[in-house]
Amino acid sequence: MIKAAQLNTNRVGLGIGLVSGALIAFQLALMQIFSITQWYHFAHLIISLALLGFGASGTLLAFFRERLVRRFETVYPALLLLTAAMMALAPLVIQTDLFRFDTYLLFSDRRHLVRLALTCLFLLLPFFFGALAIGLSFVRYGRDIGKLYFANLLGSGMGGLLALVLMWLISPAGLPAVLAILPLMGGFVGRAHRQSRLLFWLCLILLVFMNVDDLRLVRSEYKSIEKTLLLPDAEVVSRAYSPYGLLEVVSTPALRYAPGLSLTYQEAIPPRLGVFNNGDGLGVFLPKPEQDSASILQYTTNALPYLIQQHEKTLILGSGTGEQLSLAVSYQTSGIDAVEPNRLLVALMREEFADSINHLLDDPAVDIHLLESRTFVQGSQTSYDLIQLPVIGSFFGSSGLNALEQRYDLTREAFGELWKRLSPDGLISVTCWMDYPVRNPLKILATLTDLLEVEVEEKEKHLAAIRSWSTVTFVLKKSAFTQAEDSTIREFCGRMFFDPLLLPVQGEFEREHFNQLDDPWFFEAVDRLVTGSADSLYSDYAFRIRPASDDQPYFFQYLRLKSLNQLNQLFGEQTVPFLELGYVVVWLTLLLVVAASLAFILLPLVPSSFSLRRKFRTFLYFGGIGLGYLFVEMVFIQQFTPFLGHPIYAASGVISLMLLSSGVGSYFSGHIRLSSKNLVAVSLGIAVVTLIYAFNLTVVLRGFNSYSMLIKVGLMILIVGVPGVIMGLPFPLGLTDISRRQPSAVPWAWAVNGCASVVSASLAILISVEAGFLWVMVCAALAYCLAALANS
């Protein structure tokens, strides 16, 4: 009998591992799908929905625990089959007219809010059914909770890595159907009779068939690619996918590239191939100019640093589709380091579209580095005459949709590292699109002047800027500009019909000779930033233009909550959401998940039978560890993004390592004697470790930035794994303790933990935006202190 029971537990553990891996991978697949159809802000919503499903399953278990346990042999595999079905159907259902919403219309058309709510409810189902199967097995085999929880975390950790691999092989729309095979297998493990085998193969054939015809995702009509496809004879000529996203190339004779082009340009502008990642414009494939011929980019403000001086060694960060690279080659730069993390984009430029760019990447002066910009700079010892940053913003603006993009290449610390890589007379150049209200140019200027404040005595002599009808180019020089260079800038402006914005030597010049602004206050703000009254401007301006930092790397997050009333008066209440849509979406997400958590998790369990005092202690303990765990995970992802070189690697690595190491901790939790003293000690121990990491992790990682990737991965395993093992102890210990004291309270504990976890994803982002990731870590430590207080 013991052997049979053990065998059954092993089969259930295998099923838990399979469904856990599928659910984690499904989360990543949905994030990719929403990044393509809408924007990446819904990643936090997906995380919250997954955790909400786990919490809601605990609520159901609280009411139907005994009935479900009695029918475990039937209910458990049925739940896994339902999980597989909901996962496979998700891409089809959420694209129907009843469910499909548009981010841009959420605040102007209530129907889209309803559709968003319906989409959330449907996507909740696979997580709910999968979590219910896991929770039911925990209740049924409570004595083996450590082993089953280990299977849960091990499967989840492997699921993150599996998703990363499959994203190179399977289209985003088809990935959920492939992942559905995992819970399908889990539902049939150990069921050997013929009918079960036949049903399994029928379901498997159906899932495979769903991937035969490549499903097309319906994108927001406001996506850049959708607007481009409205042009005459537009068509997608290439489509490829990877963890970096869906990369598409569009051909149309009407797409002509002229970024802030001088009004003196008289040549024909030929059509170009447009390149889009997840539907957002990356640029165009601009060919390398023929020898002794001019590039169209020589007629833009981007050309300024090449006229100021000749460069022997140039660094182009975020080279993208090659526009800045083409410009550098056109000025016969002898040595060019181009840094671009998207391997798939570089592969397309080397192979399929090499002719379209006139084999630009094969130029002997060009050396391509497949790394994130910050990672390359931190590991480089080369001195550069020019460092060229990617263009900031876009011609049509972004409505704040990039507000939560973590740009570690645009923080004050990043510019400090660039300064160290400059030769004695080296230049840093960055171009911005003009936006209204003005934000991008002011924030990049604030970052440059902040750097010069530390490095030089007279910062105005090290900074120049010119303006076209739509772009602003800033050039920072390590040594002071000369009078001859000042004259060169003036001559270039006069010849190209550009206007000087900042001149380093000669004071008299006209800022609006060729291109007038509707609001000349912009010039006053520029002068205040340069002359030293920046702090008052930061306080007075309605938008956040203080330089971004590594602790708050949100360069494009401009919305200040305390300025909402002022913005409503200036632009109207209906307009503000469209100015900073990305940040508003996160607040909307938080409100949705809080309401859903109360409705599906906490409120139904309020009238439960066990005492109010015990309920409060359970709430503190499981709520604390739920918040703390996710907060630490979010900070780890943030810290390892610049360290490893890409957020995809950081997210998948951190999630997998934390789940795997926590699984090890849960596996050995059974060897710890259950007592209130031990529960307090474990919780306080995690709080102390969290605080130590909060104030030292950044310093440690910076010290290893220049090391090889192998050493970095080893350090990551150590840094994430050690606290991960300890953080795997509180949940199984607390669940075992409460199951012994009062088994009926287990679902309540499961629900509270789920509710806290649901809120934590969006809450961590909001705390990091308003206060920084350091405070997210401090809040994590406080959450574990609350867990300790519950058992004191």
Side-chain angles (χ1 to χ4, degrees), residues 524-670:
E524 178 189 338
V526 167
D527 291 336
R528 290 174 68 179
L529 288 171
V530 175
T531 57
S533 56
D535 287 338
S536 62
L537 179 63
Y538 297 153
S539 301
D540 298 340
Y541 198 36
F543 294 96
R544 191 195 309 256
I545 58 170
R546 190 180 296 274
S549 67
D550 283 354
D551 192 43
Q552 293 174 279
Y554 305 104
F555 182 89
F556 297 107
Q557 204 305 92
Y558 296 111
L559 184 63
R560 300 172 67 187
L561 296 180
K562 67 178 183 180
S563 302
L564 280 176
N565 289 334
Q566 180 184 352
L567 293 174
N568 286 334
Q569 293 173 4
L570 289 173
F571 304 105
E573 294 184 3
Q574 297 298 319
T575 304
V576 173
F578 295 97
L579 291 175
E580 296 295 335
L581 190 57
Y583 195 41
V584 176
V585 166
V586 177
W587 277 101
L588 175 63
T589 299
L590 179 62
L591 293 175
L592 282 174
V593 298
V594 167
S597 297
L598 292 175
F600 291 116
I601 300 176
L602 287 186
L603 292 181
L605 291 172
V606 168
S608 350
S609 58
F610 64 109
S611 68
L612 181 63
R613 183 171 179 271
R614 187 64 198 173
K615 187 180 294 184
F616 179 69
R617 287 178 173 273
T618 302
F619 181 84
L620 281 183
Y621 182 81
F622 286 94
I625 65 177
L627 278 176
Y629 191 96
L630 264 293
F631 279 4
V632 172
E633 184 176 90
M634 296 291 285
V635 174
F636 276 164
I637 293 173
Q638 177 263 341
Q639 289 280 1
F640 280 98
T641 293
F643 185 71
L644 295 181
H646 199 280
I648 293 174
Y649 300 138
S652 60
V654 166
I655 292 172
S656 297
L657 277 174
M658 284 199 69
L659 291 171
L660 290 171
S661 57
S662 296
V664 172
S666 69
Y667 185 82
F668 290 104
S669 63

Side-chain angles (χ1 to χ4, degrees), residues 39-74:
W39 283 271
Y40 65 91
H41 305 86
F42 292 97
H44 312 296
L45 178 62
I46 299 304
I47 295 172
S48 297
L49 285 176
L51 297 169
L52 181 62
F54 276 76
S57 68
T59 303
L60 186 72
L61 278 173
F63 291 108
F64 301 101
R65 175 175 173 270
E66 297 298 332
R67 296 181 186 178
L68 293 174
V69 168
R70 285 198 302 268
R71 297 173 175 83
F72 180 84
E73 298 296 332
T74 302

Side-chain angles (χ1 to χ4, degrees), residues 595-774:
S597 297
L598 292 175
F600 291 116
I601 300 176
L602 287 186
L603 292 181
L605 291 172
V606 168
S608 350
S609 58
F610 64 109
S611 68
L612 181 63
R613 183 171 179 271
R614 187 64 198 173
K615 187 180 294 184
F616 179 69
R617 287 178 173 273
T618 302
F619 181 84
L620 281 183
Y621 182 81
F622 286 94
I625 65 177
L627 278 176
Y629 191 96
L630 264 293
F631 279 4
V632 172
E633 184 176 90
M634 296 291 285
V635 174
F636 276 164
I637 293 173
Q638 177 263 341
Q639 289 280 1
F640 280 98
T641 293
F643 185 71
L644 295 181
H646 199 280
I648 293 174
Y649 300 138
S652 60
V654 166
I655 292 172
S656 297
L657 277 174
M658 284 199 69
L659 291 171
L660 290 171
S661 57
S662 296
V664 172
S666 69
Y667 185 82
F668 290 104
S669 63
H671 298 282
I672 298 178
R673 186 174 65 86
L674 271 179
S675 67
S676 297
K677 183 178 180 181
N678 285 342
L679 289 174
V680 170
V682 169
S683 300
L684 287 179
I686 297 173
V688 171
V689 171
T690 300
L691 287 176
I692 293 173
Y693 271 54
F695 294 98
N696 296 281
L697 182 57
T698 301
V699 176
V700 172
L701 294 182
R702 284 183 181 175
F704 284 85
N705 270 324
S706 59
Y707 284 73
S708 67
M709 183 57 70
L710 184 63
I711 294 177
K712 286 184 175 183
V713 171
L715 183 67
M716 181 184 182
I717 293 173
L718 179 65
I719 290 176
V720 177
V722 171
V725 171
I726 307 173
M727 291 167 69
L729 297 173
F731 185 78
L733 285 175
L735 211 59
T736 302
D737 178 61
I738 203 170
S739 65
R740 291 181 179 180
R741 292 173 182 265
Q742 192 169 2
S744 61
V746 170
W748 168 257
W750 178 268
V752 168
N753 184 261
C755 184
S757 300
V758 167
V759 175
S760 63
S762 297
L763 188 59
I765 292 298
L766 295 176
I767 294 173
S768 68
V769 168
E770 296 298 330
F773 279 102
L774 173 63

